């Protein structure tokens, strides 16, 4: 079996992260729409939701969500590069860059929470 088919290969792990982050984002959408619906129900409902969302656990969850979104975006860009540029020897570099972009976005979001 060649190296690129092993499940420990960075390209396969990037594939898995891209699929799982997409699934997690899809599962989050109903919660997001519910939260937006609180604004429609009135100021009191939205204010109650915003107070609830100040929970530190939810702040960590928001950061994880931003990392998942960035991972999905970076992974999608990596897939587009594969589609249009073909297989390259730098696949591991592209995977590492995708992961770096995702974690940098999460870190920037986390640092911006205090501002």
């Amino acid at each position: 079996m060649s190296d690129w088919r092993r499940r420990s290969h960075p390209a396969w792990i990037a594939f898995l992260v891209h699929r799982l982050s997409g699934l997690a984002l899809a599962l989050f959408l109903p919660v997001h729409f519910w939260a937006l619906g609180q604004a429609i129900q009135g100021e009191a409902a939205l204010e109650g939701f915003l107070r609830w969302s100040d929970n530190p656990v939810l702040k960590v969850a928001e950061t994880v969500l931003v990392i998942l979104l960035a991972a999905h975006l970076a992974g999608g860009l990596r897939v587009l590069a594969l589609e249009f540029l073909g297989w390259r020897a730098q696949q591991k570099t592209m995977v590492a860059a995708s992961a770096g972009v995702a974690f940098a976005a999460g870190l920037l979001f986390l640092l911006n929470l205090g501002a």
Side-chain angles (χ1 to χ4, degrees):
M1 189 180 284
S2 67
D3 186 42
W4 67 272
R5 291 187 181 190
R6 291 191 188 140
R7 292 187 179 206
S8 62
H9 192 277
W12 191 88
I13 294 169
F15 156 82
L16 185 64
V17 167
H18 185 248
R19 295 306 187 270
L20 291 177
S21 64
L23 180 63
L25 291 170
L27 292 173
F28 169 73
L29 276 178
V31 176
H32 177 68
F33 291 138
W34 173 79
L36 289 176
Q38 298 304 302
I40 295 172
Q41 291 185 8
E43 188 176 331
L46 179 61
E47 186 60 36
F49 172 76
L50 291 175
R51 269 196 310 275
W52 175 75
S53 69
D54 272 339
N55 185 335
V57 173
L58 288 177
K59 295 298 181 187
V60 171
E62 283 178 344
T63 303
V64 169
L65 184 66
V66 169
I67 291 171
L68 287 173
L69 182 61
H72 194 70
L73 173 67
L77 292 174
R78 187 189 72 82
V79 170
L80 282 174
L82 276 175
E83 295 281 330
F84 292 110
L85 302 176
W87 188 264
R88 303 255 187 233
Q90 299 94 352
Q91 283 300 304
K92 290 181 181 180
T93 303
M94 289 172 58
V95 169
S98 297
V101 166
F103 284 110
L107 181 62
L108 287 173
F109 178 79
L110 190 60
L111 292 173
N112 197 29
L113 278 177

